[in-house]
Amino acid sequence: MWSQLKNRCVREAEWIDPIEVADPEYLLRLQWRRIKRVLHYAYDNLSFYRERFDSIGLHPADVKNLDDFSRIPLLSKLDLIAETKSRQSFSIGIEAFNKRPPFNVVMTSGTHGFHTFAAVGRAELTRGAMRAVLREFWMQKIRPGMSVMTLSPAWHFLSLLDSRALTAIGARCVSPFGTHTPRFAERFLDAVVNLRPEYVLTIPPVLYAMLSVCERRGIEPREAFASVRYVSAVGEAVTPRLRQKLRDQLGLDDFFERGGSSDGLWGGGECSRHNGHHVFADLFYVEIVDPVTNQRLGPGERGTIVVTNLVLGKSLYIRFNCEDLGSIATDVCECGRTHPRVEIFDRLDNQIQVNGREITVYDIRACLDEIDQLCGRSFFVVKQRNGGFRIDVYDPDDTLHNVSSEARAALLKRFGLDAEFRGIRSMPARWKGRLVDERQVAIGEGYPGE
Amino acid sequence: MWAKLRRLLRRVSQLHAHLNNWSLSPDNLPSDLDSFRSKVPVTRPEALQTLALFDENPKNSQQIVKFTVQTEHSPPIYLGFTEREISIYAAELAKYWAAIGIKRGDRILLYDYGTSPLVYLASFAFTPHLNRGAAERLGAVAICNDGLPELVDRAIHVVRFVKPRFAFVREEVENPFLGRLASEGVLPDLEESFECVVVSADETIFLKNSNNLPAEFGKLQLTERRLLRIDVARFFALQCPLDSRSFHFSPDLHFVETVDPTTLKPLPSGEEGAIVVTPIFILAQPVLRYMSNLIGSIEWDCCRCGSKQPRLLF
Ligand SMILES: [Zn+2]
Ligand SMILES: [Zn+2]
């Protein structure tokens, strides 16, 4: 069974790194070997981990199997922030470089109001996690000589890997001026129309903004994107319904999603089966844990994503709590790849409690996307002073009222959430489907973004 | 210079048939610099916007990476590079970095967009098909903050925790950045490390406020330099440390001249006019005699700062 799948995968993919279809048992053994190496390296060489492990009386030799490993306390973003502040330095003793200086320093996300830093060695960009992105790009149909539109905000870890992976594949790259905010959408659309890339790498809010530009200019998205066969979007989950809509609207062969986090320096992408992000097991070890008890959860259960880097030569994260909600699937994918697949739903703090049940903004998104007129429309979930919730929907042409009662009924039926809908004329610069506090909106802080 | 330029013209006339309009066919090339200047018309941005000129052409399919000129042009101007060209361009930037004093082990903050040459030439980590950026050439580490003015807090955050010796900032964010540096009191801890802020913008020199350092910096030896860019011509010039009106440039890879801005007639060396630049290392998408919107003169005499490089004087 497994070898049949493997053969098909190799056939369909034209080329594949043999490890992508390795025996799952072999992968587990490989992961375990690397976990041990990483633990020993961290204890022997990295002051941060040495102190941390000593303080809980842990020695790497005590970790005899994956169950032992899963009892190591989670590393949180707050731990990294505290260490950065106390050392007053980007370098906090997690940089696994054998004491050499870093090759590059990137900023991680600004969650908890503070950007921590991650250091990256040259090997990470030429071998390390670059290989994950290389496999991912190939899986997502980037081919040598293909013209790929890329917008690399050079402060982000992923864009460093993207640059090197595109080089390794031999893709031709076009890069419009600007950065990943909707304010540059005009230029991005110009580049799509003028330079006719076959592939677009982007983030969903920028793609939506490009669609708004099409609308403003009165051109059919299909026409503007005539040259584009594939779009791959990173950073935000796209619901199946919206993916289909975007494929149709843009006339794409496929629409892919990528995901991961600069906190923890990990990532993965969907294959054309769209059933989760393949996270390459030789490079990352991903666990899903209960957000409250931190107990490891099984395949299919929704919980917090915890990641451990399995290669050195960069800032090393061991059992890092990414504060993202996800689930893991360990069965072999239909594409033949044997590595686990992680479905990433939303940020942990981007969920609300309704009748004792946790629902995420992504869940609301999925429900609203079922309504044609709302599919893909930007919105915010506003937490009101009275404890209730309101949905603020981007509504430039004042058409929301046609569907707001249908939408309200849908949320009530699906989640027992009774939320008022309000149309807003313009979206703040840092827009993203997010949960925000009404007080923040009211005092004009705008919406927290990024 | 003429030998290099002639080689460029020969290759260009073979590769790009459209240049035949200027009677630049391989058997009818200018015979010397003077005839080049009189025979080849200057190139204005408008000419570069016509996609026929800059679009894919089977013969220049070796272009592997394309950037967009930042200035708002509609349609925009796209700059294509081969692997070799972008590498030479990065080596140029490295020369200016070295002239500022950047050396092995230095950390450099780049407060600019990843799609600005300040950043895309800085490191092989940032740009596809760039095998060695300016940072790798000097053994320095470049840290990018993106170029949005609202990210000034994050730039200060980098200064505080990464402690770069140099910052390159786009002109648009110069004032918020310097202002915040002074008001945040970040600098006292950085006296040892933070040396220089280099401000840069495409085809802009902004002499009026050429020293923007707020008074609050006090005794700190923070210097400010300007790096002039003419992105279409892949050209840099660095402000002289002693004379803020002078910008030194390396004459190896660019033919720089002035023309009368109205009649477009070539001017003799030393006479003030529009700065016109021909990059002689760009073949895939050649730019011959790009006329910038900068008005100045070219001085070849030895500068009082001691540099033997020629300078643009504004
Ligand atoms: Zn798959
Ligand atoms: Zn001088």
Side-chain angles (χ1 to χ4, degrees):
Chain A
M1 167 66 185
W2 170 65
S3 68
Q4 273 174 0
L5 273 170
K6 177 172 158 176
N7 288 338
R8 197 180 74 204
C9 180
V10 173
R11 221 171 33 244
E12 279 184 19
E14 304 148 59
W15 169 87
I16 203 157
D17 191 337
I19 200 157
E20 291 179 62
V21 290
D23 183 338
E25 290 295 322
Y26 164 79
L27 286 176
L28 271 177
R29 286 196 304 272
L30 178 71
Q31 285 191 306
W32 173 235
R33 272 206 311 274
R34 294 197 168 171
I35 286 173
K36 274 194 300 190
R37 184 174 70 139
V38 158
L39 282 176
H40 280 283
Y41 181 92
Y43 189 78
D44 295 341
N45 300 284
L46 304 176
S47 56
F48 176 83
Y49 285 109
R50 178 67 172 249
E51 285 164 28
R52 191 175 165 83
F53 291 172
D54 278 347
S55 74
I56 52 172
L58 177 94
H59 190 277
D62 306 335
V63 180
K64 296 207 161 55
N65 51 46
L66 285 175
D67 287 331
D68 290 345
F69 181 69
S70 74
R71 283 190 282 273
I72 296 179
L74 297 184
L75 174 63
S76 75
K77 171 93 177 195
L78 289 173
D79 297 330
L80 301 179
I81 293 174
E83 196 67 17
T84 309
K85 285 182 174 165
S86 98
R87 294 190 187 220
Q88 284 293 302
S89 170
F90 71 100
S91 168
I92 56 171
I94 62 169
E95 300 79 17
F97 292 121
N98 278 328
K99 303 193 169 60
R100 278 198 303 272
F103 183 76
N104 202 275
V105 177
V106 291
M107 269 171 284
T108 65
S109 79
T111 51
H112 301 288
F114 192 96
H115 293 273
T116 52
F117 298 90
V120 180
R122 192 182 174 96
E124 174 74 352
L125 300 178
T126 53
R127 301 192 299 275
M130 191 281 277
R131 275 176 304 173
V133 174
L134 180 59
R135 293 174 199 158
E136 198 173 305
F137 278 168
W138 192 274
M139 178 167 81
Q140 299 192 342
K141 310 285 185 196
I142 295 182
R143 293 293 178 268
M146 205 180 232
S147 167
V148 179
M149 184 169 117
T150 151
L151 193 76
S152 301
W155 61 274
H156 201 282
F157 172 63
L158 191 60
S159 63
L160 309 192
L161 300 182
D162 283 6
S163 288
R164 292 339 291 171
L166 289 167
T167 308
I169 289 184
R172 294 146 58 103
C173 302
V174 300
S175 201
F177 188 84
T179 190
H180 269 152
T181 60
R183 95 165 60 149
F184 292 101
E186 300 255 355
R187 285 163 174 266
F188 303 160
L189 191 70
D190 286 341
V192 170
V193 172
N194 295 333
L195 301 176
R196 307 183 53 73
E198 294 160 86
Y199 207 107
V200 172
L201 293 169
T202 187
I203 60 171
V206 166
L207 184 64
Y208 307 150
M210 280 157 79
L211 290 174
S212 316
V213 177
C214 286
E215 210 179 304
R216 269 207 305 285
R217 293 185 182 173
I219 34 174
E220 279 296 314
R222 216 171 232 281
E223 233 172 77
F225 283 74
S227 64
V228 181
R229 293 177 59 199
Y230 303 98
V231 170
S232 179
V234 66
E236 187 175 306
V238 174
T239 65
R241 181 71 199 278
L242 179 56
R243 180 172 63 234
Q244 190 54 47
K245 183 178 166 178
L246 289 168
R247 273 183 69 160
D248 295 345
Q249 210 176 1
L250 303 176
L252 304 175
D253 290 357
D254 211 342
F255 179 98
F256 296 105
E257 209 181 280
R258 303 166 69 201
S261 169
S262 52
D263 290 306
L265 301 184
W266 74 286
E270 288 179 339
C271 68
S272 38
R273 313 289 156 143
H274 302 288
N275 52 9
H277 299 67
H278 282 280
V279 178
F280 292 108
D282 52 329
L283 301 167
F284 312 105
Y285 177 65
V286 174
E287 305 164 80
I288 304 293
V289 304
D290 185 293
V292 180
T293 64
N294 288 346
Q295 292 291 309
R296 199 165 55 187
L297 299 175
E301 288 183 273
R302 200 187 269 204
T304 312
I305 299 173
V306 171
V307 74
T308 299
N309 306 140
L310 300 182
V311 287
L312 304 171
K314 59 176 164 185
S315 289
L316 188 61
Y317 296 87
I318 298 176
R319 296 207 83 224
F320 181 72
N321 180 351
C322 298
E323 298 177 36
D324 276 317
L325 275 175
S327 66
I328 195 165
T330 49
D331 56 326
V332 175
C333 178
E334 279 176 61
C335 76
R337 289 179 180 82
T338 48
H339 296 239
R341 299 184 314 280
V342 175
E343 196 68 80
I344 308 168
F345 300 106
D346 219 322
R347 296 288 302 161
L348 193 61
D349 58 9
N350 217 19
Q351 60 178 353
I352 57 177
Q353 266 221 341
V354 181
N355 305 330
R357 198 173 135 202
E358 304 282 357
I359 63 170
T360 65
V361 175
Y362 174 84
D363 296 322
I364 296 173
R365 164 96 277 164
C367 184
L368 297 184
D369 277 353
E370 296 297 320
I371 300 166
D372 254 345
Q373 280 172 277
L374 291 180
C375 187
R377 195 93 78 89
S378 303
F379 68 88
F380 291 95
V381 178
V382 181
K383 191 175 187 180
Q384 292 178 297
R385 262 166 263 221
N386 60 14
F389 294 96
R390 187 181 75 216
I391 316 281
D392 282 2
V393 182
Y394 180 52
D395 188 30
D397 339 304
D398 212 5
T399 52
L400 177 70
H401 56 88
N402 299 328
V403 289
S404 56
S405 52
E406 184 187 345
R408 189 169 186 163
L411 288 185
L412 190 59
K413 184 164 172 231
R414 181 87 57 92
F415 309 112
L417 169 66
D418 189 20
E420 179 201 335
F421 277 71
R422 191 180 75 160
I424 51 174
R425 289 263 162 180
S426 65
M427 293 297 274
R430 297 173 178 192
W431 54 349
K432 245 184 178 186
R434 277 209 159 255
L435 174 64
V436 295
D437 197 291
E438 189 179 24
R439 277 163 301 189
Q440 281 172 306
V441 182
I443 57 174
E445 274 185 21
Y447 299 83
E450 293 190 303
Chain B
M1 174 51 73
W2 172 239
K4 288 182 195 167
L5 202 53
R6 193 176 49 195
R7 216 172 311 133
L8 169 79
L9 293 176
R10 183 163 304 132
R11 291 289 307 282
V12 160
S13 65
Q14 288 160 353
L15 284 172
H16 303 278
H18 63 264
L19 297 176
N20 290 342
N21 299 344
W22 305 337
S23 30
L24 264 189
S25 62
D27 43 349
N28 183 24
L29 293 175
S31 52
D32 53 26
L33 264 183
D34 286 336
S35 78
F36 167 70
R37 294 180 72 194
S38 56
K39 197 166 169 183
V40 178
V42 296
T43 305
R44 297 292 296 143
E46 302 80 69
L48 303 174
Q49 286 169 267
T50 56
L51 289 165
L53 199 66
F54 264 25
D55 206 0
E56 296 300 320
N57 144 357
K59 284 189 180 152
N60 62 20
S61 58
Q62 71 275 35
Q63 283 179 31
I64 36 78
V65 49
K66 265 202 173 76
F67 288 97
T68 317
V69 173
Q70 171 201 335
T71 333
E72 297 278 358
H73 291 288
S74 184
I77 298 175
Y78 300 106
L79 303 180
F81 294 93
T82 63
E83 208 167 280
R84 180 170 173 274
E85 289 167 354
I86 197 159
S87 161
I88 296 174
Y89 193 18
E92 269 295 278
L93 181 63
K95 280 190 211 163
Y96 293 92
W97 281 25
I100 295 163
I102 295 176
K103 54 183 199 306
R104 179 160 296 278
D106 279 340
R107 292 190 285 268
I108 301 148
L109 163 66
L110 304 168
Y111 187 1
D112 201 343
Y113 296 110
T115 50
S116 148
L118 226 48
V119 180
Y120 68 66
L121 301 174
S123 172
F124 105 128
F126 299 153
T127 306
H129 302 285
L130 173 63
N131 294 325
R132 274 174 89 210
E136 290 81 50
R137 284 170 191 274
L138 301 179
V141 179
I143 298 119
C144 178
N145 178 53
D146 221 333
L148 296 165
E150 59 263 39
L151 293 179
V152 64
D153 286 341
R154 205 171 66 181
I156 300 297
H157 186 77
V158 174
V159 173
R160 197 186 290 275
F161 291 98
V162 181
K163 302 180 177 65
R165 272 184 68 216
F166 298 87
F168 282 75
V169 306
R170 57 189 280 103
E171 153 261 344
E172 189 192 350
V173 296
E174 175 190 13
N175 288 331
F177 179 68
L178 290 175
R180 192 65 66 87
L181 264 185
S183 66
E184 291 280 301
V186 177
L187 286 164
D189 326 335
L190 296 172
E191 262 177 75
E192 289 299 305
S193 57
F194 200 43
E195 263 189 37
C196 185
V197 176
V198 182
V199 186
S200 183
D202 188 17
E203 294 192 35
T204 316
I205 41 167
F206 30 70
L207 275 171
K208 279 196 192 90
N209 44 356
S210 74
N211 195 346
N212 264 340
L213 294 180
E216 297 92 296
F217 282 123
K219 61 184 196 314
L220 187 82
Q221 294 290 307
L222 185 72
T223 54
E224 195 186 14
R225 300 281 286 275
R226 279 161 205 278
L227 184 67
L228 174 68
R229 285 161 30 207
I230 302 176
D231 291 351
V232 170
R234 285 82 162 176
F235 176 80
F236 295 108
L238 179 66
Q239 192 171 36
C240 172
L242 296 184
D243 174 10
S244 64
R245 295 167 59 229
S246 287
F247 286 74
H248 289 279
F249 65 94
S250 136
D252 304 342
L253 293 173
H254 297 86
F255 174 58
V256 186
E257 51 177 324
T258 52
V259 300
D260 183 300
T262 323
T263 64
L264 308 183
K265 288 261 185 299
L267 294 172
S269 180
E271 255 181 65
E272 187 177 89
I275 308 286
V276 170
V277 184
T278 303
I280 56 175
F281 65 104
I282 297 290
L283 277 170
Q285 196 194 56
V287 188
L288 299 182
R289 304 192 76 219
Y290 175 72
M291 180 173 149
S292 69
N293 56 30
L294 299 166
I295 303 289
S297 61
I298 304 161
E299 304 293 333
W300 286 84
D301 56 335
C302 196
C303 179
R304 63 190 168 103
C305 74
S307 167
K308 291 191 177 61
Q309 283 192 330
R311 61 210 152 98
L312 300 176
L313 188 65
F314 296 102

